[in-house]
Amino acid sequence: MSGPARPDPVRSGSGTPDLVIVGAGGFARETAQAVRDVSADDVARGRAPRWRLTGHLDDDPALHGRDVDGVPVLGGCELVHELPGALVVICVGSPRDYAVRARLVRRLGLPADRYATVVHPTAAVSGSSVVGPGSVLLAHSVLTAAVLVGAHVAVMPHAVLTHDDVVGDFVTIASGVRLGGGTRLERGPMWARGPWSASTRRSARGR
């Protein structure tokens, strides 16, 4: 097997930022497809693609150098530090260990501005709602009014968040879930402090 692929560090003249997805499992594959759909929608609307999807990072050495749905696995998660110009979204999670995403964010120690926020073009996000860095909203998810979604949240297809809902960092909302108005979902383990601080939340809500 060939060694891990390395992305070309030289950007194209378009100025389109690179994007890497940490993880190569089911959620990561869904996010990669959402990124492709966002880019296709950008082009259809006459805009430059928002990102250039560079590849996956995963700590499973058996995946390194392989393609996952046509997207290369470049190497382990720590490779993100060798790609300082790339945006990142962390797409790991397991019913056996819901804290894995929080631990990986803590381990990598990236600033909030390194994280992309991926919103599928079929998602409906109101102008009064806020979505934190590193979060992913998959197809046909809905945020109705004054919804606050924290950092590194995974919102699966056809989920509906209604007025004044607050979703803490690192939460996963399964497909088809409906939350009534004013619902509060607590963040993940308190030791896994993410970049979406309380002061950032207050600032975002004031926009």
Side-chain angles (χ1 to χ4, degrees):
M1 181 188 303
S2 61
R6 296 289 172 137
D8 183 349
V10 179
R11 299 255 185 104
S12 66
S14 67
T16 300
D18 292 337
L19 175 67
V20 293
I21 296 175
V22 176
F27 177 35
R29 293 170 58 204
E30 290 177 319
T31 300
Q33 184 59 56
V35 169
R36 287 190 288 251
D37 291 345
V38 168
S39 294
D41 185 66
D42 285 339
V43 171
R45 294 173 183 269
R47 302 188 294 247
R50 207 159 310 177
W51 306 293
R52 182 172 77 94
L53 180 56
T54 305
H56 294 279
L57 303 179
D58 196 282
D59 284 338
D60 182 356
L63 295 175
H64 298 173
R66 296 187 178 182
D67 281 359
V68 176
D69 299 336
V71 180
V73 181
L74 305 172
C77 297
E78 297 297 334
L79 183 60
V80 72
H81 298 297
E82 299 179 33
L83 304 168
L87 295 173
V88 180
V89 61
I90 295 183
C91 297
V92 298
S94 167
R96 297 182 298 276
D97 184 0
Y98 286 110
V100 64
R101 193 155 64 245
R103 286 201 305 273
L104 190 50
V105 168
R106 182 183 178 96
R107 171 184 141 196
L108 295 179
L110 299 175
D113 62 7
R114 285 289 307 276
Y115 288 107
T117 300
V118 177
V119 178
H120 193 276
T122 63
V125 179
S126 68
S128 58
S129 296
V130 176
V131 181
S135 290
V136 176
L137 276 59
L138 292 178
H140 304 290
S141 52
V142 177
L143 278 59
T144 63
V147 177
L148 179 59
V149 174
H152 308 290
V153 172
V155 181
M156 298 302 173
H158 292 277
V160 177
L161 284 62
T162 55
H163 68 89
D164 302 305
D165 287 343
V166 177
V167 179
D169 302 344
F170 306 111
V171 168
T172 297
I173 298 178
S175 300
V177 165
R178 269 67 172 151
L179 300 181
T183 299
R184 302 290 192 269
L185 299 182
E186 295 295 328
R187 61 171 289 148
M190 293 304 291
W191 55 264
R193 297 289 182 184
W196 190 237
S197 66
S199 61
T200 307
R201 284 194 185 93
R202 288 192 293 271
S203 175
R205 200 182 264 292
R207 290 176 190 168

